[in-house]
């Protein structure tokens, strides 16, 4: 998802996306540890997406929980 699309979302939607991405990241990490992850680059992409979303929330609120 592009940054422009993320900025259009509400704060609640962004928070839900962070939770969903963290759950996905956990799943991918488990796959990586068991050796079944096909694309290791997905871990980096997920971490960066989470960081982008948190950055937008920080710009809006000034802090993140």
């Amino acid at each position: 998802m592009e940054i422009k699309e993320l900025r259009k979302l509400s704060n609640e939607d962004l928070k839900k996306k962070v939770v969903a991405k963290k759950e996905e990241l956990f799943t991918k990490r488990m796959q990586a540890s068991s050796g079944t992850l096909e694309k290791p680059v997905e871990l980096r992409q997920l971490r960066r997406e989470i960081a982008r979303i948190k950055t937008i929330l920080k710009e809006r609120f000034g802090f993140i929980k």
Side-chain angles (χ1 to χ4, degrees), residues 21-59:
K21 295 289 181 182
K22 283 186 176 184
E23 289 173 358
E24 188 179 350
L25 181 60
F26 177 78
T27 304
K28 297 289 182 185
R29 281 186 180 152
M30 291 299 116
Q31 289 177 358
S33 67
S34 66
T36 59
L37 184 64
E38 292 181 17
K39 299 178 184 177
V41 72
E42 290 177 345
L43 293 173
R44 185 178 345 132
Q45 291 171 342
L46 281 170
R47 285 194 310 265
R48 287 181 179 179
E49 286 181 40
I50 293 168
R52 284 185 188 109
I53 296 169
K54 284 186 171 184
T55 300
I56 293 169
L57 288 170
K58 186 175 181 179
E59 288 172 352

Side-chain angles (χ1 to χ4, degrees), residues 1-9 13-14 17 21 45 48-50 52-53 56:
M1 187 171 250
E2 288 190 26
I3 194 80
K4 290 179 184 179
E5 296 170 359
L6 289 173
R7 290 189 188 278
K8 292 179 184 177
L9 297 176
D13 290 337
L14 289 173
K17 276 204 171 292
K21 295 289 181 182
Q45 291 171 342
R48 287 181 179 179
E49 286 181 40
I50 293 168
R52 284 185 188 109
I53 296 169
I56 293 169

